[in-house]
Amino acid sequence: MAAKTKKKARAKKSASREPLAVALLKKDHREVEGLFKKFEKAGSGSEKLNLFKQIALALKVHTKIEEEIFYSEERGEVEDDMLDEAQVEHDGAKHLIAEIEAMKPGQDLYDAKVKVLSEYIKHHVKEEEQPGGIFAQAKKGDEDLNEMGERLKARKQQLMAQMA
Ligand SMILES: [Fe+2]
Ligand SMILES: [Fe+2]
């Protein structure tokens, strides 16, 4: 328990040194990971449905603010191939989300599709967060990531209100 608390405190400390845009996007990643974990433990269909709604909303808003603001403004700072692949991965995730939204918990492949979505997102998040990845390259660039963070935050609030 003590070790866990210590680890948490360290993670928090390193997150606070990040420029705001990166800190916010990473926070979104951790939130979605938590929701996927809860989904795995969910017992009833209604619990799963409720959690999936939260996952879908979080992912739709997150991918939109990344595409509209972060990816688009990081063109030229981050390698084109990486941004292109990230966009294709977003599109793949959205497609899978739509498939799951058209289903009901308990149906064949429902749980499998949610699991595959979580693995897909895990892979994508790694590409963004790993050393030399999208966030690392963005931090080396000239964009003001603190100012961008304010805009990401405002757009997220707007989209959450619209899409919820
Ligand atoms: Fe992304
Ligand atoms: Fe992301």
Side-chain angles (χ1 to χ4, degrees):
M1 189 64 201
K4 204 178 171 188
T5 314
K6 214 172 171 186
K7 201 177 164 194
K8 237 183 178 172
R10 228 181 9 242
K12 206 172 175 190
K13 205 176 165 196
S14 73
S16 65
R17 264 189 260 119
E18 297 275 23
L20 186 61
V22 172
L24 288 174
L25 295 173
K26 280 188 171 179
K27 193 167 161 247
D28 278 357
H29 293 167
R30 301 293 86 78
E31 272 171 23
V32 170
E33 282 164 10
L35 288 169
F36 275 121
K37 266 192 193 132
K38 277 192 190 163
F39 184 95
E40 272 186 30
K41 287 185 206 143
S44 69
S46 63
E47 215 182 324
K48 285 183 184 180
L49 190 63
N50 184 282
L51 282 163
F52 189 74
K53 279 184 185 164
Q54 294 177 54
I55 289 169
L57 176 65
L59 287 174
K60 283 177 196 174
V61 170
H62 180 82
T63 51
K64 202 160 171 63
I65 62 172
E66 278 188 343
E67 287 167 22
E68 278 185 5
I69 300 170
F70 188 82
Y71 291 180
S72 93
E73 294 177 20
E74 288 302 327
R75 278 280 164 198
E77 310 274 5
V78 175
E79 283 167 44
D80 277 334
D81 285 358
M82 288 184 95
L83 289 173
D84 290 347
E85 284 163 32
Q87 180 64 56
V88 172
E89 286 172 0
H90 278 196
D91 294 343
K94 283 178 223 168
H95 190 85
L96 198 46
I97 290 166
E99 278 185 37
I100 300 166
E101 281 178 330
M103 296 173 77
K104 287 191 182 83
Q107 259 183 290
D108 279 354
L109 302 185
Y110 186 90
D111 287 351
K113 281 179 195 261
V114 176
K115 179 76 186 168
V116 169
L117 178 65
S118 82
E119 282 165 358
Y120 200 63
I121 297 298
K122 196 187 273 178
H123 164 84
H124 178 78
V125 160
K126 196 175 159 204
E127 304 272 308
E128 290 184 337
E129 294 191 12
Q130 71 190 353
I134 292 178
F135 292 173
Q137 289 190 21
K139 283 195 279 184
K140 282 190 192 160
D142 298 327
E143 292 291 324
D144 181 347
L145 293 174
N146 287 314
E147 182 274 332
M148 189 196 289
E150 298 295 344
R151 285 182 292 120
L152 286 166
K153 200 197 268 182
R155 184 67 178 132
K156 181 182 171 181
Q157 275 173 358
Q158 204 178 36
L159 287 168
M160 285 299 254
Q162 259 173 38
M163 292 166 93

